[in-house]
Structures are given as C-alpha cells and as structure tokens.
C-alpha cells in the first residue's frame, strides 16, 4: 500500500518552515495593527490547512508548536499569542481530525463548540491571571458582559468553522494541483 504523502523530509521541512514564517509574520502584524488581535491569529491558523492537506497532521502540529513558541516569546501582543496557542493554531488540525472520524453532525458540532469554549475561557484565564493584562473594558458591561461576549464569540466561531470548510474545498478544487507542481512535491 502506497503512503499518502511521498514528499521527502526536506520538502516537508521547507513547506513547514514557509508556513511557520508566514504565520509568525502575520502574528507580528498584531503589534502594528492592534485592531486585528483576533483576525490575524485566525489567518495564521488557516495557513496550517496547507500543511494538513499536503503533508499530514503530525507535521501540522509541529508547525503549530513552533509558531506558538515563537509567538509567546517574541510577540508584544500576548493576547493575540494566547488566542493562537489556545485556539486558532490548533483548531484547523483538530477540525480535520474530528471531521475525519465523526459522521454524526450534531455530536461533531457539540464537540467543536466545546473545544472553542474551553479554549477561549482557558486563554482568558491565563491572560488575566498569569500575564495579568487588564480587562477594564469588561467592567463597563456588568456581570452579564462576559456571557454576552462568549455568546457572540460562539456565533463568530460557527462562521469561522464554515469559512474554514469552504477554504479547504476551494483549495482542493483550485490550488492543490498547482501548488504541488510549483513546489515539485
């Protein structure tokens, strides 16, 4: 039986390095454009789709680990780094794993939403108590502000998940063959 991906390790390393470099560059842009604290980590995570499709999930986790470590060490925007580490970096990989194993859509969505909520709450607890970044804005909204924000986050998460699925489809239909030819994989 033929192996799914027959790339040489040097090709895998090169692709992983390119994706990692682009991801870290996007993460650095959060220092220049602070309003994109969530959008840029999300975009950096989307790049991992290429590694998942072209190589495999193990290599994608390696790229995720490298970008996470570099982001935590050198990024001035720790909130963006934490959002990448706790959710946006690993979610495209976890999504591929879950969708490959589960056929029941209701269970799949429950698991996805659970992963999102646990990840985001954990990230903010670390932001608040480890990095001790102030969250003064939350006091203005009262005791229900956190819950409203989490609810809106869930709506945005569903949109993000659907967008990821469509990007994977687009990649497979339009760019997959061309990408393999360009990089001679």
């Amino acid at each position: 039986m033929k192996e799914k991906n027959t790339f040489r390790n040097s090709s895998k390393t090169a692709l992983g390095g390119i994706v990692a470099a682009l991801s870290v560059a996007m993460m650095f842009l959060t220092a220049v454009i602070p309003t994109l604290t969530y959008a840029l980590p999300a975009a950096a995570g989307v790049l991992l789709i290429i590694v998942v499709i072209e190589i495999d999930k193990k290599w994608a986790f390696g790229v995720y680990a490298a970008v996470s470590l570099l982001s935590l060490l050198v990024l001035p925007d720790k909130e963006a780094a934490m959002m990448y580490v706790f959710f946006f970096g690993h979610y495209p990989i976890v999504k591929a794993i879950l969708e490959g194993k589960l056929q029941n859509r209701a269970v799949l969505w429950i698991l996805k939403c659970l992963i999102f909520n646990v990840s985001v709450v954990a990230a903010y607890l670390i932001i608040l108590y480890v990095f001790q970044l102030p969250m003064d804005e939350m006091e203005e909204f009262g005791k229900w502000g956190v819950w409203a924000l989490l609810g809106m986050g869930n709506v945005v998460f569903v949109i993000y998940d659907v967008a990821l699925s469509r990007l994977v489809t687009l990649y497979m239909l339009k760019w997959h063959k061309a990408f393999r030819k360009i990089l001679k994989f």
Side-chain angles (χ1 to χ4, degrees), residues 28-138:
F28 261 112
L29 286 175
T30 60
V32 179
I33 313 167
T35 55
L36 299 179
T37 296
Y38 303 107
L40 288 170
V46 167
L47 292 175
L48 287 173
I49 291 171
I50 298 168
V51 180
V52 170
I53 292 171
E54 298 299 343
I55 305 173
D56 67 18
K57 294 166 197 81
K58 289 179 185 176
W59 280 79
F61 273 119
V63 173
Y64 156 71
V67 174
S68 295
L69 184 62
L70 286 169
S71 295
L72 287 171
L73 290 175
V74 298
L75 254 136
D77 188 347
K78 295 303 181 200
E79 185 176 6
M82 292 303 293
M83 293 312 296
Y84 182 85
V85 170
F86 274 86
F87 182 70
F88 291 118
H90 68 78
Y91 184 72
I93 308 165
V94 171
K95 175 182 171 59
I97 293 168
L98 289 176
E99 290 178 352
K101 294 191 184 296
L102 295 174
Q103 300 302 316
N104 186 328
R105 292 184 51 76
V107 172
L108 184 63
W109 275 105
I110 289 169
L111 272 174
K112 288 177 179 181
C113 288
L114 183 66
I115 290 168
F116 169 75
N117 285 290
V118 168
S119 298
V120 169
V121 169
Y124 273 102
L125 288 175
I126 291 174
I127 288 168
L128 287 172
Y129 296 111
V130 174
F131 291 109
Q132 297 184 348
L133 296 178
M135 290 292 190
D136 299 332
E137 307 89 35
M138 292 308 297

